Each structure stands twice: as C-alpha cells, then as structure tokens.
C-alpha cells in the first residue's frame, strides 16, 4: 500500500457522525426501554421513554415512527374501551409524527358514533374521513343526510352528484333536492331529477305539471305540450290543468286555442263569463 493511502481512505466527518448517531440510537436505553414497553402493551411507559429518546436527537426518523406507533396503540386501546375523547389526542400526535391514517379516523368516528352526536360534530368527523379518501356508501350517504339536516343546502347539493353517480339515488332523495335545485335556478338538473321521478312514479299530476314547466324553461316546448295534452286526456274534468295549458298556449302565441281552453275550464267551474244582456242606450245628459 502506498504511503498516505490510509489518509485518503478516511471517511468524511459527516459519515462518521451519522454512524455514531445510528450506533448510539441502537443502544440508547430509553429507546430500548420504550420499544420493550410498547411490545408489552405498557403504552404510557413506552411514550415516556420514547419521548426522552426523541429529545436526545438520536436517529430521529426511527424514534418518530416508534413514538407514533406507541400513541396509536394507546389510542386503539382507549377506543376499544369507548374512551373516544381520550384517544383523540394520541391520534393527533401520531398523525403529526408520521402522517394521518384513514384507519385512525375511521376508528375514532366509529367510537363516537356509538353515542348521540350533534349534527355539526358528526359532519366535521365525516368531512375528515372524506378528506382522507373514505368514499364508502355510509360516509357519502351520511354526509348528504347531515348536510340536509343542518339545512346547508349547498353542501347537500355538493355531495349529491357523487352519491348519485356511485350508488344511485332513491326517489325520496330526488324529491328532497328538487326544490334546492329550483331555488338555485338550476333548471337543467332539476328537470333531469324530475324526469326520473315522473318516469318512476307517473301518477302525480302536480309533478307532471312541474315537469312541463321545466321542459318549457329548458326550451322543450314540444315535450311540455305532450305532458299537458296527456294530463287533460287523463283528467278531463280538472279545470286547473286546462288553465295551465291555456297559459302555455298564450306564451306560445296560440291565443285562440288558449281562449278555448279557458272557456272549457270556466264551464267546468260553473263560471259563465258571457254577457248576453240586452243593453239599452244611455239617456243624454241634461248637461
């Protein structure tokens, strides 16, 4: 070996420091005791020793993982006992040391859901699950339900499309969001929902009339006319239908047809607006 070769092979000081820290972490008594306590299920003791090891700055990445594991294990033990509020801070610490886990949030929510929750608190927990990627049907369904319960209509409408596209809507769901869509002025989506309602349950003339209005509002005059004419055939003695049809005809410029519909409606209601009296000329005024 050439002279000076040993000097050239000497490791960099940073490498030596890293090795020293790694070796010291492996033999650090607090780290060892913390890991032993964690394995024995003595979570409070494990956290105490691991926090001491962390304060020494020895292999910080490894200590953080062990400490997060200790807090999560402690939290799971508390959740199993129904001590949800006591478990929550431990999960927060674990999330700060590593990263939030969906399983932690689900466990905490399931624990809290065993007792009555305020809608506001429940919605906040559900939003946390959703943010972590929980797209299960019970979560999406409950987000929608609780938003409606809180009368937060915009949030309910925000959750509705995903719930509908992934798991389908019931007729009751469609009927509940229909007035919200109408209030927002979303005639296209309101018509889409009402088309599904009328198709599935065609027996309600009021819903059919509303659909005729929405078809008119979205530029489908022929579709609206078809509904009015069908309803009049099915309910020939209903003057309300005739009056609504007359309004539609007036807007379409079909004034004579509108007049006939109005006269027919008045006949059904027993109203005679014709004036057949013989009118005499007025006397001339003395003035």
């Amino acid at each position: 070996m050439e002279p000076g070769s040993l000097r050239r092979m000497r490791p960099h000081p940073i490498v030596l420091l890293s090795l020293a820290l790694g070796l010291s972490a492996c033999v650090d008594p607090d780290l060892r005791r913390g890991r032993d306590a964690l394995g024995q299920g003595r979570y409070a003791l494990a956290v105490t020793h691991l926090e001491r090891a962390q304060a020494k700055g020895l292999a910080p990445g490894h200590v953080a993982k062990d400490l997060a594991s200790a807090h999560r294990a402690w939290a799971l033990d508390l959740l199993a006992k129904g001590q949800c509020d006591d478990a929550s801070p431990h999960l927060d610490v674990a999330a700060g040391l590593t990263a939030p886990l969906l399983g932690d949030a689900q466990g905490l929510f399931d624990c809290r859901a065993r007792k009555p929750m305020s809608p506001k608190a429940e919605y906040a927990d559900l939003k946390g699950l959703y943010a972590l990627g929980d797209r299960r049907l019970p979560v999406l369904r409950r987000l929608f339900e609780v938003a409606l319960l809180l009368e937060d209509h915009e949030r309910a409408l925000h959750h509705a499309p995903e719930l509908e596209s992934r798991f389908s809507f019931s007729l009751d769901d469609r009927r509940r969001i229909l007035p919200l869509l109408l209030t927002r002025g979303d005639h296209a989506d309101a018509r889409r929902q009402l088309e599904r309602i009328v198709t599935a349950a065609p027996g309600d003339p009021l819903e059919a009339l509303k659909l005729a209005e929405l078809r008119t509002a979205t530029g489908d005059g022929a579709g609206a006319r078809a509904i009015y004419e069908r309803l009049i055939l099915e309910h020939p003695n209903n003057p309300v239908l005739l009056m609504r049809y007359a309004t539609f005809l007036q807007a379409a410029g079909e004034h004579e047809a509108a007049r006939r519909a109005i006269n027919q409606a008045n006949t059904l209601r027993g109203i005679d607006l014709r004036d057949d009296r013989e009118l005499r000329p007025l006397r001339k005024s003395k003035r």
Side-chain angles (χ1 to χ4, degrees):
M1 184 176 294
E2 297 180 5
S5 59
L6 290 176
R7 185 168 55 253
R8 288 195 301 269
M9 294 173 59
R10 182 177 301 168
H12 192 279
I14 294 179
V15 175
L16 291 173
L17 178 60
S18 300
L19 289 171
L21 288 173
L23 289 172
S24 61
C26 291
V27 297
D28 180 76
D30 282 310
L31 182 58
R32 185 179 64 254
R33 290 168 185 162
R35 288 172 174 172
D36 289 343
L38 178 58
Q40 297 164 6
R42 303 165 67 190
Y43 305 124
L45 184 61
V47 166
T48 298
H49 285 297
L50 291 170
E51 284 179 344
R52 290 175 183 171
Q54 185 185 47
K56 297 174 185 178
L58 303 176
H62 294 295
V63 177
K65 289 180 181 178
D66 288 331
L67 186 55
S69 296
H71 278 288
R72 283 195 170 97
W74 196 351
L76 289 174
D77 184 58
L78 293 168
L79 290 174
K81 298 174 182 176
Q83 298 174 238
C84 318
D85 292 339
D86 293 333
S88 181
H90 293 291
L91 294 176
D92 290 340
V93 172
L97 289 167
T98 52
L101 296 181
L102 177 56
D104 292 346
Q106 288 173 339
L108 182 59
F109 178 78
D110 291 342
C111 180
R112 287 175 171 166
R114 296 188 191 113
K115 298 178 182 178
M117 297 175 66
S118 72
K120 189 174 181 180
E122 184 178 4
Y123 188 83
D125 282 355
L126 288 165
K127 265 189 74 176
L129 289 175
Y130 185 86
L132 289 171
D134 195 337
R135 299 296 190 274
R136 294 174 299 161
L137 173 58
V139 173
L140 293 176
R141 162 65 58 188
R142 197 58 189 155
L143 277 168
F144 175 69
E145 297 282 352
V146 177
L148 286 174
L149 189 62
L150 291 169
E151 297 186 352
D152 193 334
H153 297 161
E154 283 303 312
R155 283 183 175 175
L157 290 174
H158 172 75
H159 296 302
E162 186 174 6
L163 179 61
E164 181 181 12
S165 65
R166 297 190 61 200
F167 300 104
S168 187
F169 253 19
S170 66
L171 286 181
D172 184 54
D173 292 333
R174 298 183 195 283
R175 287 190 172 107
R176 284 192 292 175
I177 69 167
L178 180 62
L180 309 185
L181 291 168
L182 292 171
T183 300
R184 193 166 71 176
D186 191 344
H187 291 154
D189 201 16
R191 173 184 170 175
R192 183 177 64 83
Q193 297 294 344
L194 194 50
E195 293 277 10
R196 300 287 294 273
I197 293 170
V198 172
T199 299
D204 190 336
L206 293 179
E207 289 179 340
L209 279 175
K210 177 57 69 176
L211 179 56
E213 291 179 356
L214 287 173
R215 285 182 175 180
T216 302
T218 53
D220 184 8
R225 184 188 299 272
I227 290 178
Y228 286 122
E229 292 177 352
R230 174 178 64 80
L231 287 173
I232 290 170
L233 285 174
E234 293 175 353
H235 308 277
N237 297 321
N238 190 325
V240 174
L241 296 177
L242 287 163
M243 293 300 294
R244 298 284 284 275
Y245 187 37
T247 301
F248 169 78
L249 292 170
Q250 287 278 15
E254 301 176 40
H255 303 297
E256 182 60 27
R259 185 185 66 78
R260 289 196 299 269
I262 291 171
N263 287 339
Q264 188 179 352
N266 287 334
T267 299
L268 289 172
R269 293 188 295 178
I271 299 173
D272 188 357
L273 297 180
R274 294 173 299 174
D275 197 346
D276 295 330
R277 293 174 300 169
E278 184 181 348
L279 298 179
R280 298 177 181 177
L282 293 174
R283 294 179 181 180
K284 291 184 179 180
S285 173
K286 294 181 179 180
R287 297 181 182 179

